[in-house]
Amino acid sequence: MATVQFFNQFPCKTRVQSSSNSKPLSKPPSLVPTSALTRRPLFSPGEFAVSRADFRVRVIDAEDGLDPETSEGGSALSIAEEAIESVEETEALKRSLVDSLYGTDRGLSASSETRAEIGDLITQLESKNPTPAPTDALFLLNGKWILAYTSFVGLFPLLSRGIVPLVKVDEISQTIDSDFFTVENSVLFAGPLATTSISTNAKFEIRSPKRVQIKFEEGVIGTPQLTDSIEIPEYVEFLGQKIDLTPIRGLLTSVQDTASSVARTISSQPPLKFSLPGDNAQSWLLTTYLDKEIRISRGDGGSVFVLIKEGSPLLNP
């Protein structure tokens, strides 16, 4: 809506004939479109969009030689066009960045060339940051952010496949609550029989328009959520031969019932919490780009983090 308010600030001059002695215009004002009505949306479907489809209304007085192209209206129009172009460039950079992250496994499997490309796109996007003081716009920071990329090598062992057989990192997220100044970092693990999570709870303090100090207070190991249903096929294929499972379906059904009982027992247990004392439980974070979809932050070790807001269409390229 800020764009609509911006256009409502354009100056508009009205010519009024005060009396019958006023000198009439030699020609009636004419509306002359000066650009084609072609529409090209700036944002994805479903969002509020600003179109480049604008046409200029020119009020021409042949004798007075008035032309908004050289008036204050022309200057405002030029500013509006530059603002629209800037938004277009930013949206294009965001899309290019998200596209370049595809297949990098949050940065773990990115090649040196891909890392360089991503770093360049991040720098360009940071130069167009629409929120120069993120800590003054806490409503934008609020919510759950999904980690899409990081250069923090400390996370790479966690992301590496094969450390725990058949278990993978399903999601890494950060949830910010500006009302209570809390941050929750969470890692969700997924396996063939269960899912679980490890998270840390922290408080943050605002230290500058871009920087927050984070103090971690406790860690939480979530209760594993086991799969309580095992699908038993009628047969399996092995070396090209079909093996009928009918004779052992009773045994497998018994195993299924036992697994279901175990799942209910374990899932009813509370999560395990532990304290995080010491100076190592503190860190700071600098937000260098922020809008309603993407957040770029840099840590105290020089690492960069690219996060996408939960629910954003950018999570589904």
Side-chain angles (χ1 to χ4, degrees):
M1 297 302 295
T3 305
V4 175
Q5 295 173 357
F6 176 77
F7 280 101
N8 285 341
Q9 296 175 6
F10 287 173
C12 180
K13 296 181 179 180
T14 305
R15 296 175 61 89
V16 179
Q17 291 186 355
S18 58
S19 67
S20 59
N21 294 328
S22 299
K23 185 178 179 180
L25 296 174
S26 58
K27 294 172 62 179
S30 60
L31 301 180
V32 183
T34 61
S35 62
L37 297 179
T38 56
R39 293 187 177 273
R40 178 156 56 92
L42 300 183
F43 303 100
S44 59
E47 296 186 72
F48 176 77
V50 179
S51 174
R52 290 302 301 271
D54 63 281
F55 61 90
R56 306 171 188 171
V57 179
R58 302 179 62 187
V59 181
I60 303 173
D61 187 324
E63 293 189 5
D64 293 343
L66 297 178
D67 189 342
E69 294 292 336
T70 57
S71 67
E72 294 180 1
S75 299
L77 187 58
S78 177
I79 294 173
E81 288 180 334
E82 291 177 1
I84 292 174
E85 289 178 0
S86 178
V87 171
E88 285 182 328
E89 291 174 3
T90 301
E91 290 301 309
L93 279 173
K94 286 167 58 175
R95 175 51 61 187
S96 295
L97 176 59
V98 171
D99 289 345
S100 68
L101 301 180
Y102 182 78
T104 65
D105 195 9
R106 306 178 186 87
L108 174 66
S109 58
S111 64
S112 57
E113 293 81 5
T114 301
R115 289 184 183 279
E117 178 187 351
I118 291 172
D120 182 59
L121 289 170
I122 288 174
T123 301
Q124 292 183 57
L125 202 53
E126 288 174 326
S127 69
K128 295 182 176 297
N129 183 16
T131 314
T135 57
D136 292 337
L138 293 179
F139 68 96
L140 284 176
L141 284 170
N142 257 343
K144 183 177 180 180
W145 296 84
I146 310 300
L147 181 68
Y149 175 84
T150 183
S151 62
F152 180 45
V153 295
L155 273 180
F156 289 169
L158 180 66
L159 297 175
S160 296
R161 299 173 181 174
I163 292 182
V164 180
L166 302 179
V167 175
K168 67 174 184 177
V169 175
D170 194 50
E171 179 184 275
I172 300 178
S173 65
Q174 184 177 77
T175 303
I176 298 176
D177 186 339
S178 63
D179 292 334
F180 297 96
F181 292 89
T182 60
V183 178
E184 180 189 43
N185 295 330
S186 180
V187 181
L188 178 64
F189 297 93
L193 299 178
T195 61
T196 190
S197 64
I198 298 177
S199 60
T200 57
N201 296 326
K203 290 279 190 179
F204 72 88
E205 298 177 358
I206 297 174
R207 295 296 177 86
S208 78
K210 291 186 176 181
R211 176 175 166 174
V212 296
Q213 187 75 20
I214 300 175
K215 183 178 181 180
F216 298 98
E217 296 182 335
E218 66 175 5
V220 180
I221 300 177
T223 303
Q225 302 298 311
L226 301 183
T227 302
D228 60 359
S229 177
I230 302 175
E231 294 293 333
I232 304 175
E234 294 182 359
Y235 63 89
V236 294
E237 290 191 7
F238 181 71
L239 299 177
Q241 301 294 321
K242 290 184 178 181
I243 301 176
D244 187 7
L245 297 181
T246 302
I248 60 173
R249 285 180 69 86
L251 175 61
L252 293 178
T253 300
S254 177
V255 172
Q256 179 181 2
D257 294 339
T258 302
S260 178
S261 176
V262 172
R264 286 192 295 269
T265 301
I266 294 179
S267 298
S268 65
Q269 300 300 312
L272 175 64
K273 297 183 179 181
F274 54 94
S275 61
L276 298 171
D279 294 336
N280 291 333
Q282 295 192 38
S283 181
W284 59 261
L285 206 61
L286 196 68
T287 300
T288 55
Y289 181 92
L290 176 66
D291 64 21
K292 65 180 182 179
E293 291 186 309
I294 284 185
R295 189 176 112 226
I296 298 175
S297 297
R298 294 184 180 271
D300 50 8
S303 302
V304 64
F305 302 86
V306 178
L307 302 102
I308 300 177
K309 194 69 167 286
E310 183 182 45
S312 169
L314 294 176
L315 288 172
N316 303 300

